[in-house]
């Protein structure tokens, strides 16, 4: 095979690979932009704003994210993560001793049974049991709302991370496409500077042994 032919074959193949990488980079970048725009639009629609620095409690000031984003409106996945973990998560720990919605299910059920039994027997502690049930019910409803919002914000953060990873992959694809294009260009240059008659790995004729 001629050396020029081989150079042209590899160069054309490299150019095709570069085009495919560029297309992949474009698709990944489009997905990254969509994720960023979608997350920003949905978060801004919720109109959630971090507390200003002067209104933060001492406990909140110990959360670096709350200090960094103080007074800002939620518009990015990272801000959503900070608000979910460092604000909502922080305050959920102060409700019902840090118990979750699921944890409060058993105490609520138990108190309902006690209230029903006290009502049947005219127990003098009925009012107190009813108040305990009302407190647990209110705590559970508050925890449910907090956990739901926290979960939604963390889901938004996770979605934004997919966009970030897609953007990084797009950059890698663009760089790889550029590299392949440069290599293909170098191959074309080498092909046109190589003599037409030059063969690839030519086989040298075996030398006859010279008899002494």
């Amino acid at each position: 095979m001629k050396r020029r032919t081989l150079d042209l074959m590899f160069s054309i193949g490299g150019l095709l690979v570069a085009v495919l990488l560029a297309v992949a980079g474009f698709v990944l970048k489009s997905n990254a932009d969509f994720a960023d725009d979608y997350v920003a639009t949905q978060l801004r629609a919720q109109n959630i704003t971090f507390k200003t620095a002067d209104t933060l409690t001492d406990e909140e000031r110990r959360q670096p994210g709350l200090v960094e984003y103080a007074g800002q409106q939620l518009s990015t996945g990272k801000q959503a993560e900070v608000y979910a973990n460092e604000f909502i998560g922080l305050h959920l720990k102060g409700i019902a001793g840090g118990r979750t919605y699921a944890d409060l299910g058993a105490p609520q059920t138990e108190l309902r049974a006690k209230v029903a039994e006290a009502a049947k027997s005219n127990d003098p502690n009925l009012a107190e049991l009813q108040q305990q049930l009302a407190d647990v019910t209110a705590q559970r409803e508050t925890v449910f709302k907090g956990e739901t919002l926290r979960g939604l914000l963390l889901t938004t953060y996770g979605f934004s991370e997919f966009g970030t990873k897609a953007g990084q992959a797009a950059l890698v694809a663009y760089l790889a496409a550029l590299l392949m294009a440069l290599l293909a260009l170098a191959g074309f240059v080498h092909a046109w500077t190589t003599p037409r008659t030059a063969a690839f790995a030519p086989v040298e004729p075996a030398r006859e042994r010279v008899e002494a």
Side-chain angles (χ1 to χ4, degrees):
M1 179 182 289
K2 301 299 182 183
R3 179 58 186 266
R4 175 178 288 189
T5 302
L6 188 64
D7 286 343
L8 289 175
M9 289 175 58
F10 278 109
S11 298
I12 293 173
L15 192 59
L16 291 175
V17 172
V19 171
L20 291 176
L21 287 171
V23 171
F26 176 77
V27 173
L28 289 168
K29 186 63 169 62
S30 298
N31 288 334
D33 292 340
F34 168 77
D36 290 341
D37 293 340
Y38 186 81
V39 167
T41 299
Q42 294 301 316
L43 287 177
R44 289 194 183 103
Q46 302 305 314
N47 198 28
I48 301 174
T49 303
F50 285 92
K51 294 176 63 176
T52 57
D54 59 314
T55 60
L56 293 175
T57 64
D58 291 338
E59 191 176 23
E60 291 170 344
R61 290 181 188 278
R62 290 193 288 270
Q63 307 300 316
L66 298 183
V67 175
E68 179 182 356
Y69 298 120
Q72 298 183 27
Q73 184 182 18
L74 262 69
S75 61
T76 67
K78 184 60 180 178
Q79 289 177 328
E81 181 195 28
V82 169
Y83 196 88
N85 290 332
E86 298 186 16
F87 185 76
I88 297 177
L90 175 66
H91 291 285
L92 284 176
K93 292 178 182 178
I95 301 175
R99 288 179 292 179
T100 65
Y101 174 81
D103 293 335
L104 292 170
Q108 186 183 44
T109 301
E110 183 179 349
L111 283 170
R112 282 175 177 169
K114 289 182 178 180
V115 167
E117 185 64 28
K120 293 179 182 179
S121 60
N122 293 322
D123 192 320
N125 295 321
L126 176 60
E128 181 180 352
L129 291 172
Q130 289 176 330
Q131 184 59 50
Q132 291 177 8
L133 176 60
D135 292 341
V136 170
T137 300
Q139 289 174 346
R140 196 174 190 221
E141 290 177 354
T142 301
V143 169
F144 174 76
K145 293 176 182 178
E147 289 180 348
T148 300
L149 178 56
R150 181 171 178 268
L152 291 173
L153 290 175
L154 290 177
T155 299
T156 301
Y157 165 69
F159 184 78
S160 72
E161 282 297 292
F162 281 115
T164 300
K165 300 302 181 185
Q168 294 171 347
L171 178 59
V172 172
Y174 283 139
L175 292 176
L178 177 60
L179 177 61
M180 291 301 300
L182 292 175
L183 292 174
L185 179 60
F188 283 121
V189 172
H190 188 270
W192 293 115
T193 57
T194 300
R196 292 177 179 273
T197 57
F200 176 74
V203 179
E204 296 183 0
R207 296 181 180 179
E208 295 182 359
R209 293 184 177 181
V210 178
E211 296 183 357

Short mmCIF file of all heavy atoms in Angstrom, two decimals, residues 51-90:
data_model
loop_
_atom_site.label_atom_id
_atom_site.label_comp_id
_atom_site.label_asym_id
_atom_site.label_seq_id
_atom_site.Cartn_x
_atom_site.Cartn_y
_atom_site.Cartn_z
N LYS A 51 -32.29 34.18 54.19
CA LYS A 51 -32.36 35.24 55.18
C LYS A 51 -31.16 36.17 55.01
O LYS A 51 -30.06 35.74 54.66
CB LYS A 51 -32.38 34.66 56.60
CG LYS A 51 -33.63 33.85 56.92
CD LYS A 51 -33.53 33.22 58.30
CE LYS A 51 -33.44 34.24 59.41
NZ LYS A 51 -33.46 33.61 60.76
N THR A 52 -31.38 37.46 55.27
CA THR A 52 -30.28 38.40 55.19
C THR A 52 -29.31 38.15 56.34
O THR A 52 -29.67 37.57 57.37
CB THR A 52 -30.80 39.85 55.24
OG1 THR A 52 -31.56 40.02 56.45
CG2 THR A 52 -31.68 40.15 54.04
N ALA A 53 -28.07 38.61 56.17
CA ALA A 53 -27.02 38.33 57.16
C ALA A 53 -27.37 38.86 58.54
O ALA A 53 -27.05 38.23 59.56
CB ALA A 53 -25.70 38.93 56.68
N ASP A 54 -28.05 40.02 58.60
CA ASP A 54 -28.35 40.62 59.90
C ASP A 54 -29.48 39.92 60.63
O ASP A 54 -29.70 40.17 61.82
CB ASP A 54 -28.70 42.11 59.73
CG ASP A 54 -29.89 42.31 58.81
OD1 ASP A 54 -29.94 41.68 57.74
OD2 ASP A 54 -30.78 43.12 59.16
N THR A 55 -30.21 39.03 59.95
CA THR A 55 -31.33 38.33 60.61
C THR A 55 -30.99 36.88 60.96
O THR A 55 -31.82 36.16 61.51
CB THR A 55 -32.57 38.34 59.70
OG1 THR A 55 -32.27 37.68 58.46
CG2 THR A 55 -33.02 39.77 59.42
N LEU A 56 -29.79 36.43 60.62
CA LEU A 56 -29.39 35.06 60.92
C LEU A 56 -29.18 34.87 62.41
O LEU A 56 -28.62 35.73 63.09
CB LEU A 56 -28.09 34.70 60.19
CG LEU A 56 -28.15 34.63 58.65
CD1 LEU A 56 -26.75 34.40 58.09
CD2 LEU A 56 -29.09 33.52 58.20
N THR A 57 -29.63 33.74 62.92
CA THR A 57 -29.40 33.41 64.32
C THR A 57 -27.96 32.91 64.47
O THR A 57 -27.27 32.64 63.48
CB THR A 57 -30.36 32.32 64.79
OG1 THR A 57 -30.10 31.10 64.06
CG2 THR A 57 -31.82 32.74 64.54
N ASP A 58 -27.52 32.79 65.72
CA ASP A 58 -26.15 32.32 65.97
C ASP A 58 -25.95 30.92 65.39
O ASP A 58 -24.88 30.61 64.83
CB ASP A 58 -25.87 32.30 67.47
CG ASP A 58 -25.79 33.71 68.06
OD1 ASP A 58 -25.54 34.66 67.28
OD2 ASP A 58 -25.98 33.85 69.28
N GLU A 59 -26.98 30.08 65.51
CA GLU A 59 -26.89 28.72 64.99
C GLU A 59 -26.81 28.74 63.47
O GLU A 59 -26.06 27.96 62.86
CB GLU A 59 -28.10 27.91 65.44
CG GLU A 59 -27.98 26.41 65.18
CD GLU A 59 -29.15 25.64 65.73
OE1 GLU A 59 -30.25 26.24 65.91
OE2 GLU A 59 -28.99 24.43 65.99
N GLU A 60 -27.57 29.64 62.84
CA GLU A 60 -27.56 29.75 61.38
C GLU A 60 -26.24 30.33 60.87
O GLU A 60 -25.78 29.98 59.78
CB GLU A 60 -28.73 30.60 60.91
CG GLU A 60 -30.08 29.93 61.13
CD GLU A 60 -31.24 30.87 60.90
OE1 GLU A 60 -31.02 32.11 60.87
OE2 GLU A 60 -32.38 30.39 60.77
N ARG A 61 -25.64 31.20 61.65
CA ARG A 61 -24.36 31.80 61.23
C ARG A 61 -23.24 30.76 61.17
O ARG A 61 -22.23 30.98 60.49
CB ARG A 61 -23.97 32.93 62.19
CG ARG A 61 -24.84 34.16 62.08
CD ARG A 61 -24.37 35.25 63.06
NE ARG A 61 -25.30 36.36 63.09
CZ ARG A 61 -25.31 37.35 62.20
NH1 ARG A 61 -24.40 37.36 61.24
NH2 ARG A 61 -26.20 38.32 62.29
N ARG A 62 -23.43 29.66 61.87
CA ARG A 62 -22.42 28.60 61.84
C ARG A 62 -22.53 27.73 60.59
O ARG A 62 -21.72 26.83 60.38
CB ARG A 62 -22.52 27.74 63.10
CG ARG A 62 -22.07 28.45 64.36
CD ARG A 62 -21.88 27.48 65.51
NE ARG A 62 -23.14 26.98 66.02
CZ ARG A 62 -23.85 27.54 67.00
NH1 ARG A 62 -23.40 28.66 67.56
NH2 ARG A 62 -24.98 27.01 67.41
N GLN A 63 -23.53 28.02 59.76
CA GLN A 63 -23.70 27.31 58.49
C GLN A 63 -23.08 28.15 57.38
O GLN A 63 -23.60 29.21 57.04
CB GLN A 63 -25.18 27.06 58.21
CG GLN A 63 -25.95 26.38 59.33
CD GLN A 63 -25.40 25.02 59.67
OE1 GLN A 63 -25.09 24.23 58.78
NE2 GLN A 63 -25.27 24.73 60.96
N PRO A 64 -21.96 27.73 56.81
CA PRO A 64 -21.24 28.55 55.83
C PRO A 64 -22.07 28.95 54.62
O PRO A 64 -21.95 30.06 54.10
CB PRO A 64 -20.04 27.68 55.44
CG PRO A 64 -20.44 26.29 55.80
CD PRO A 64 -21.30 26.43 57.02
N GLY A 65 -22.92 28.04 54.17
CA GLY A 65 -23.73 28.34 52.99
C GLY A 65 -24.74 29.44 53.23
O GLY A 65 -24.99 30.28 52.35
N LEU A 66 -25.33 29.47 54.42
CA LEU A 66 -26.32 30.50 54.74
C LEU A 66 -25.67 31.88 54.80
O LEU A 66 -26.29 32.89 54.45
CB LEU A 66 -27.01 30.19 56.07
CG LEU A 66 -27.82 28.88 56.12
CD1 LEU A 66 -28.51 28.72 57.47
CD2 LEU A 66 -28.84 28.83 54.99
N VAL A 67 -24.42 31.91 55.23
CA VAL A 67 -23.69 33.19 55.27
C VAL A 67 -23.30 33.60 53.85
O VAL A 67 -23.41 34.78 53.48
CB VAL A 67 -22.43 33.06 56.15
CG1 VAL A 67 -21.60 34.34 56.10
CG2 VAL A 67 -22.82 32.74 57.59
N GLU A 68 -22.85 32.65 53.05
CA GLU A 68 -22.40 32.95 51.69
C GLU A 68 -23.53 33.47 50.81
O GLU A 68 -23.34 34.41 50.03
CB GLU A 68 -21.80 31.70 51.06
CG GLU A 68 -21.33 31.89 49.63
CD GLU A 68 -20.77 30.62 49.01
OE1 GLU A 68 -20.69 29.60 49.75
OE2 GLU A 68 -20.43 30.63 47.82
N TYR A 69 -24.71 32.85 50.93
CA TYR A 69 -25.84 33.23 50.07
C TYR A 69 -26.86 34.13 50.76
O TYR A 69 -27.98 34.29 50.27
CB TYR A 69 -26.55 31.97 49.57
CG TYR A 69 -25.68 31.06 48.73
CD1 TYR A 69 -25.43 29.75 49.13
CD2 TYR A 69 -25.10 31.52 47.55
CE1 TYR A 69 -24.62 28.92 48.36
CE2 TYR A 69 -24.30 30.69 46.78
CZ TYR A 69 -24.07 29.38 47.18
OH TYR A 69 -23.28 28.57 46.42
N ALA A 70 -26.49 34.72 51.87
CA ALA A 70 -27.42 35.57 52.64
C ALA A 70 -28.05 36.64 51.75
O ALA A 70 -27.36 37.35 51.02
CB ALA A 70 -26.68 36.23 53.80
N GLY A 71 -29.39 36.71 51.81
CA GLY A 71 -30.13 37.73 51.07
C GLY A 71 -30.36 37.42 49.61
O GLY A 71 -31.07 38.17 48.92
N GLN A 72 -29.81 36.32 49.10
CA GLN A 72 -29.95 35.98 47.69
C GLN A 72 -31.19 35.12 47.44
O GLN A 72 -31.62 34.36 48.29
CB GLN A 72 -28.71 35.24 47.18
CG GLN A 72 -27.43 36.04 47.25
CD GLN A 72 -26.24 35.29 46.68
OE1 GLN A 72 -26.40 34.42 45.82
NE2 GLN A 72 -25.04 35.61 47.15
N GLN A 73 -31.73 35.24 46.22
CA GLN A 73 -32.86 34.41 45.83
C GLN A 73 -32.34 33.10 45.25
O GLN A 73 -31.33 33.08 44.54
CB GLN A 73 -33.72 35.12 44.77
CG GLN A 73 -34.97 34.35 44.37
CD GLN A 73 -35.77 35.06 43.29
OE1 GLN A 73 -35.25 35.93 42.62
NE2 GLN A 73 -37.03 34.70 43.14
N LEU A 74 -33.04 32.00 45.55
CA LEU A 74 -32.63 30.70 45.04
C LEU A 74 -32.76 30.67 43.51
O LEU A 74 -33.85 30.93 42.98
CB LEU A 74 -33.48 29.58 45.64
CG LEU A 74 -32.87 28.83 46.83
CD1 LEU A 74 -32.81 29.77 48.03
CD2 LEU A 74 -33.67 27.60 47.16
N SER A 75 -31.67 30.34 42.83
CA SER A 75 -31.71 30.25 41.38
C SER A 75 -30.77 29.19 40.82
O SER A 75 -30.76 28.95 39.62
CB SER A 75 -31.35 31.61 40.75
OG SER A 75 -30.04 32.01 41.12
N THR A 76 -29.97 28.56 41.69
CA THR A 76 -29.05 27.52 41.22
C THR A 76 -29.21 26.24 42.04
O THR A 76 -29.76 26.27 43.15
CB THR A 76 -27.57 27.99 41.34
OG1 THR A 76 -27.23 28.12 42.73
CG2 THR A 76 -27.36 29.32 40.64
N GLY A 77 -28.73 25.14 41.47
CA GLY A 77 -28.82 23.86 42.17
C GLY A 77 -28.03 23.86 43.47
O GLY A 77 -28.46 23.29 44.47
N LYS A 78 -26.86 24.50 43.47
CA LYS A 78 -26.03 24.54 44.67
C LYS A 78 -26.74 25.31 45.78
O LYS A 78 -26.69 24.91 46.96
CB LYS A 78 -24.68 25.19 44.35
CG LYS A 78 -23.71 25.19 45.52
CD LYS A 78 -23.41 23.78 45.99
CE LYS A 78 -22.44 23.77 47.16
NZ LYS A 78 -22.19 22.40 47.64
N GLN A 79 -27.40 26.40 45.45
CA GLN A 79 -28.16 27.16 46.45
C GLN A 79 -29.30 26.31 47.00
O GLN A 79 -29.61 26.37 48.19
CB GLN A 79 -28.70 28.44 45.82
CG GLN A 79 -27.64 29.49 45.53
CD GLN A 79 -28.21 30.71 44.85
OE1 GLN A 79 -29.17 30.62 44.08
NE2 GLN A 79 -27.64 31.86 45.13
N ALA A 80 -29.93 25.52 46.13
CA ALA A 80 -31.02 24.65 46.58
C ALA A 80 -30.51 23.62 47.58
O ALA A 80 -31.17 23.33 48.59
CB ALA A 80 -31.66 23.95 45.38
N GLU A 81 -29.33 23.08 47.32
CA GLU A 81 -28.74 22.11 48.25
C GLU A 81 -28.45 22.76 49.60
O GLU A 81 -28.75 22.18 50.66
CB GLU A 81 -27.45 21.53 47.67
CG GLU A 81 -26.81 20.49 48.58
CD GLU A 81 -25.38 20.18 48.22
OE1 GLU A 81 -24.71 21.07 47.66
OE2 GLU A 81 -24.92 19.07 48.51
N VAL A 82 -27.88 23.95 49.57
CA VAL A 82 -27.55 24.66 50.82
C VAL A 82 -28.82 24.97 51.61
O VAL A 82 -28.88 24.75 52.82
CB VAL A 82 -26.78 25.95 50.51
CG1 VAL A 82 -26.67 26.82 51.76
CG2 VAL A 82 -25.39 25.62 50.00
N TYR A 83 -29.85 25.47 50.94
CA TYR A 83 -31.10 25.81 51.62
C TYR A 83 -31.75 24.57 52.22
O TYR A 83 -32.28 24.61 53.33
CB TYR A 83 -32.06 26.48 50.64
CG TYR A 83 -33.20 27.21 51.31
CD1 TYR A 83 -33.07 28.54 51.70
CD2 TYR A 83 -34.42 26.57 51.56
CE1 TYR A 83 -34.12 29.21 52.32
CE2 TYR A 83 -35.46 27.23 52.18
CZ TYR A 83 -35.31 28.55 52.56
OH TYR A 83 -36.34 29.21 53.18
N ALA A 84 -31.69 23.45 51.46
CA ALA A 84 -32.31 22.21 51.93
C ALA A 84 -31.60 21.65 53.15
O ALA A 84 -32.24 21.24 54.13
CB ALA A 84 -32.32 21.18 50.80
N ASN A 85 -30.27 21.62 53.11
CA ASN A 85 -29.50 20.98 54.18
C ASN A 85 -29.19 21.91 55.34
O ASN A 85 -29.31 21.51 56.51
CB ASN A 85 -28.20 20.41 53.62
CG ASN A 85 -28.43 19.21 52.72
OD1 ASN A 85 -29.40 18.48 52.89
ND2 ASN A 85 -27.54 19.00 51.77
N GLU A 86 -28.80 23.13 55.04
CA GLU A 86 -28.32 24.02 56.09
C GLU A 86 -29.40 24.90 56.71
O GLU A 86 -29.21 25.42 57.81
CB GLU A 86 -27.18 24.90 55.55
CG GLU A 86 -25.98 24.08 55.10
CD GLU A 86 -24.80 24.95 54.69
OE1 GLU A 86 -24.80 26.16 55.04
OE2 GLU A 86 -23.89 24.44 54.02
N PHE A 87 -30.52 25.06 56.02
CA PHE A 87 -31.61 25.85 56.60
C PHE A 87 -32.78 24.96 57.03
O PHE A 87 -33.09 24.85 58.21
CB PHE A 87 -32.10 26.92 55.62
CG PHE A 87 -33.13 27.84 56.22
CD1 PHE A 87 -32.75 28.84 57.11
CD2 PHE A 87 -34.47 27.71 55.90
CE1 PHE A 87 -33.71 29.68 57.68
CE2 PHE A 87 -35.44 28.54 56.46
CZ PHE A 87 -35.05 29.53 57.35
N ILE A 88 -33.39 24.28 56.04
CA ILE A 88 -34.53 23.42 56.39
C ILE A 88 -34.06 22.26 57.27
O ILE A 88 -34.69 21.96 58.29
CB ILE A 88 -35.20 22.88 55.12
CG1 ILE A 88 -35.77 24.04 54.30
CG2 ILE A 88 -36.31 21.89 55.47
CD1 ILE A 88 -36.40 23.60 52.99
N GLY A 89 -32.98 21.61 56.88
CA GLY A 89 -32.48 20.49 57.67
C GLY A 89 -32.12 20.90 59.08
O GLY A 89 -32.37 20.17 60.05
N LEU A 90 -31.52 22.08 59.22
CA LEU A 90 -31.15 22.59 60.54
C LEU A 90 -32.37 22.77 61.43
O LEU A 90 -32.36 22.37 62.60
CB LEU A 90 -30.41 23.92 60.38
CG LEU A 90 -30.05 24.66 61.67
CD1 LEU A 90 -29.02 23.87 62.47
CD2 LEU A 90 -29.52 26.06 61.35
#
